[in-house]
Amino acid sequence: MSRTLIYCVKTRTRGKQLKEDYMDFSVNKEPVFVTEVIYDGQAEQGVEFDYVLPDYYPDIFRILRCTLRPGIVSCNISGDKLILDGVICITALYLSEGGGMECVEHRYSYSKTVDLPKSADNGTVTVEPKVDYTTCRAVSGRRIDVRGAVSFRIKVENITPFEIITDIEGCNIQTRKNKVSCTRKLTAGKQFVVREDIGVSGIDGTVKAVVSCDATAVVNDCKIIADKVVLKGEAKLKALYLVGNDNGTYLQTMEAEIPLSQIVDMQGIDERHTCYALFRVLSCALTVKSADDDTSGVFGCELTIGSQITATLEESIYPVTDMYSTSYESSYTTSALKTESDHRFISRTLNIKQLIDCENGIPDSVTDAECFVSEIICRPCENGELKVSGKLLCFISAVKDNEPVFIEKNLPFDVSEQLGMVTDGCVIQPVVNISSVSYSITDDGIEIRCSLLMQGCMYVCGTSQIIKQIELNENAEKQKCDDYSLKLYFADENEDVWNIAKRYNTSAAAIESENEVTDGKVSGLLLIPII
């Protein structure tokens, strides 16, 4: 089971232009805010649980199923420390000596501290918990021993300032600037808790326990209002619960929709921005509150929801990428500027069909099918297709020969989706959840049909070499020849004017003016003015 959890903190905006003065020239600098990956790694949490049944529970005959459901309660960054607090819900379903099913549940609290390579107090944290393994055995008729492990894929990003040189003035310094497309990005987020009572009917007996529950959430509407973003959406809840009556015990399913609404502060956002948002279910808890009669019941649902909002504004910057002085010897150092551009929000439905083999025979009926996805990989292709691969974890609750049967399979999948405008430089950061599951029994096994909702951001990642620092040797003045003011030069086809000007220690503007050049490229005979 895996779930992507996203926490966002604090909004950053673009800074003002800076000017640094030297002896006889000045350098204009401007901060550009870029996304920096602070941490991209994993953490693990072991589970060891030794449980003794209360006196009112019957003895264990056979363990039917045991699951771990990890959830995040809070995620905080303090300096160079990331602190995760959460709960792992342990549920064990067993067959009693009398032939009925019983369910026990325990909430296992944990806290993890992850060392970051640097401080990231204003960072955005993405956490993907995944159950690595679960084992459960009955030590005796009254005692259960559970062992397992949960791993967390953690990514911490920060929007940090990166200074670029936009102009250099004085000392006859010539500069070349390149147009770089980039995205000015704002991020914000908020965590909130939703509590709802859910009534169910059509129950033939009394609700005894919740065996499993899971929820997904989507944003249906996102509006910008005066430095705030208003989000509206819904959470879809699905649960499997145990019912008992005079004839024994059986499993039943329920589904419910819970409306979501939240207002998130986002300083600096206005109508120029393109805004997209995601809701993520960080934890899901369902308890039996009451059973008024033998045909209905009430569940208490508590959802912890995390919202992630990204606002983008496409723009162009013009950093200095080359320079020289016609009066003095000079040198410079460069650095790589990594930018994101052409941000687009994607939302696609992917359909998967899998056939589950039943080694112990095909069941008579299926009560429920739960599916989860993990290890998602997106690969853009040249033909505009997006290939999505991963693993589909299926839990099947069924009945064969009037006995409960549980089947667990971990199956690889690979699907393609036509997106268009997908290039090799595209980066896709998807969040994939199961939106619906259906099933049917065939002669060959159980056919599972899953609809996956893939949402996220797609953008183009680029790298430009720009000038970071310059040095001008004012003691090494360039010698000029006063014998002529023009030179004749025969240029190659589409030769770059800048390179010619740098070679002959003149300015590109003077060459373009003298030869009526407008596109920076020349061919054939050329007049080169010496300045």
Side-chain angles (χ1 to χ4, degrees):
M1 178 192 310
S2 70
R3 179 182 286 121
T4 303
L5 316 177
I6 304 176
Y7 298 79
C8 302
V9 234
K10 206 168 179 179
T11 297
R12 286 179 178 263
T13 56
R14 191 174 177 180
K16 297 181 179 180
Q17 195 176 50
L18 304 175
K19 188 171 183 179
E20 296 182 1
D21 294 317
Y22 297 89
M23 292 183 62
D24 293 319
F25 68 95
S26 62
V27 177
N28 294 327
K29 293 185 177 181
E30 181 179 335
V32 176
F33 290 96
V34 298
T35 302
E36 178 187 9
V37 178
I38 304 297
Y39 181 84
D40 191 354
Q42 285 192 343
E44 294 183 352
Q45 174 64 50
V47 176
E48 295 183 0
F49 176 53
D50 191 4
Y51 184 74
V52 178
L53 295 179
D55 293 339
Y56 52 85
Y57 272 81
D59 286 354
I60 301 168
F61 175 69
R62 176 163 54 94
I63 301 292
L64 297 174
R65 175 185 177 185
C66 183
T67 59
L68 305 181
R69 296 199 312 272
I72 302 291
V73 175
S74 66
C75 177
N76 299 294
I77 295 179
S78 178
D80 60 352
K81 304 290 185 184
L82 170 66
I83 303 171
L84 293 175
D85 293 311
V87 173
I88 300 174
C89 184
I90 306 170
T91 305
L93 185 69
Y94 71 90
L95 196 65
S96 70
E97 293 284 356
M101 288 184 288
E102 300 289 341
C103 183
V104 294
E105 181 183 271
H106 178 75
R107 297 175 68 84
Y108 186 95
S109 300
Y110 67 88
S111 180
K112 297 293 294 184
T113 300
V114 179
D115 293 326
L116 305 178
K118 59 187 292 188
S119 178
D121 287 323
N122 299 322
T124 299
V125 182
T126 304
V127 183
E128 296 180 10
K130 180 173 71 74
V131 177
D132 295 326
Y133 74 92
T134 308
T135 62
C136 180
R137 65 188 183 96
V139 179
S140 67
R142 309 295 305 168
R143 186 176 161 194
I144 298 174
D145 181 63
V146 179
R147 296 290 183 269
V150 175
S151 61
F152 303 87
R153 177 67 186 273
I154 301 170
K155 190 173 185 179
V156 181
E157 296 178 316
N158 210 356
I159 299 178
T160 58
F162 187 97
E163 282 193 340
I164 63 171
I165 296 177
T166 56
D167 202 6
I168 309 172
E169 300 173 350
C171 293
N172 291 323
I173 292 176
Q174 310 297 314
T175 59
R176 185 178 197 176
K177 304 175 186 178
N178 283 353
K179 179 182 176 180
V180 177
S181 298
C182 67
T183 301
R184 190 190 307 182
K185 186 165 66 174
L186 306 176
T187 59
K190 187 177 181 180
Q191 181 176 319
F192 58 98
V193 177
V194 177
R195 297 179 178 88
E196 187 97 358
D197 287 345
I198 302 170
V200 293
S201 58
I203 301 174
D204 184 15
T206 303
V207 179
K208 301 186 66 176
V210 176
V211 177
S212 66
C213 65
D214 190 54
T216 59
V218 294
V219 175
N220 297 326
D221 190 32
C222 176
K223 290 184 179 179
I224 301 171
I225 303 176
D227 287 337
K228 299 180 186 296
V229 178
V230 180
L231 304 178
K232 292 184 178 181
E234 64 180 9
K236 293 184 178 181
L237 174 72
K238 183 179 180 181
L240 180 69
Y241 58 93
L242 184 64
V243 177
N245 57 25
D246 294 338
N247 297 321
T249 56
Y250 68 97
L251 296 172
Q252 192 164 328
T253 62
M254 61 90 75
E255 295 184 9
E257 294 183 358
I258 301 173
L260 303 176
S261 179
Q262 198 64 208
I263 299 175
V264 181
D265 293 329
M266 198 169 192
Q267 190 68 32
I269 192 171
D270 55 40
E271 64 279 356
R272 298 175 302 158
H273 289 85
T274 299
C275 185
Y276 55 90
L278 296 172
F279 279 146
R280 305 307 304 143
V281 179
L282 310 182
S283 65
C284 174
L286 192 68
T287 57
V288 180
K289 292 192 68 175
S290 67
D292 298 330
D293 50 46
D294 288 342
T295 60
S296 64
V298 177
F299 293 92
C301 178
E302 180 176 297
L303 300 177
T304 303
I305 307 291
S307 63
Q308 178 205 16
I309 306 172
T310 303
T312 61
L313 184 63
E314 302 295 329
E315 61 181 5
S316 298
I317 56 175
Y318 296 86
V320 175
T321 57
D322 198 3
M323 61 79 59
Y324 63 93
S325 170
T326 59
S327 299
Y328 302 97
E329 296 294 337
S330 61
S331 63
Y332 60 81
T333 57
T334 62
S335 63
L337 171 63
K338 296 182 179 181
T339 56
E340 300 174 6
S341 62
D342 193 21
H343 271 252
R344 285 174 285 166
F345 179 69
I346 58 173
S347 181
R348 294 288 191 276
T349 298
L350 309 176
N351 295 313
I352 299 174
K353 184 187 294 185
Q354 296 279 14
L355 182 65
I356 296 180
D357 296 327
C358 304
E359 293 87 352
N360 298 321
I362 298 175
D364 301 323
S365 63
V366 173
T367 305
D368 185 41
E370 296 177 88
C371 294
F372 306 92
V373 290
S374 64
E375 301 179 27
I376 298 295
I377 299 176
C378 293
R379 301 184 302 276
C381 301
E382 293 181 357
N383 59 0
E385 275 192 343
L386 177 67
K387 290 189 178 295
V388 182
S389 61
K391 289 186 177 181
L392 182 70
L393 180 59
C394 303
F395 292 99
I396 309 295
S397 303
V399 176
K400 180 177 171 56
D401 299 330
N402 294 322
E403 292 289 336
V405 176
F406 296 91
I407 304 169
E408 179 179 335
K409 293 287 184 179
N410 200 353
L411 305 171
F413 70 87
D414 197 340
V415 293
S416 298
E417 176 70 17
Q418 188 69 36
L419 286 181
M421 303 277 302
V422 178
T423 63
D424 289 338
C426 279
V427 176
I428 300 175
Q429 295 180 330
V431 176
V432 181
N433 284 305
I434 302 288
S435 58
S436 66
V437 178
S438 62
Y439 52 83
S440 59
I441 298 176
T442 69
D443 294 337
D444 300 319
I446 302 173
E447 185 180 87
I448 298 293
R449 298 175 295 275
C450 293
S451 292
L452 311 183
L453 179 61
M454 180 181 70
Q455 294 182 309
C457 180
M458 179 170 69
Y459 57 88
V460 177
C461 187
T463 303
S464 305
Q465 292 294 326
I466 66 171
I467 291 180
K468 189 67 175 177
Q469 186 175 358
I470 69 169
E471 292 184 7
L472 199 67
N473 189 351
E474 295 185 342
N475 296 321
E477 189 173 353
K478 290 184 177 180
Q479 300 298 318
K480 295 185 178 181
C481 180
D482 297 329
D483 296 341
Y484 48 83
S485 60
L486 286 174
K487 272 190 175 184
L488 292 178
Y489 177 77
F490 195 85
D492 295 333
E493 186 176 355
N494 290 324
E495 193 168 350
D496 198 311
V497 172
W498 172 266
N499 294 333
I500 298 172
K502 191 173 183 180
R503 188 185 314 149
Y504 287 95
N505 200 41
T506 186
S507 72
I511 295 177
E512 291 175 341
S513 176
E514 187 70 32
N515 297 274
E516 298 182 351
V517 176
T518 58
D519 61 355
K521 301 289 184 180
V522 293
S523 302
L525 189 63
L526 196 67
L527 294 176
I528 302 178
I530 306 301
I531 62 174

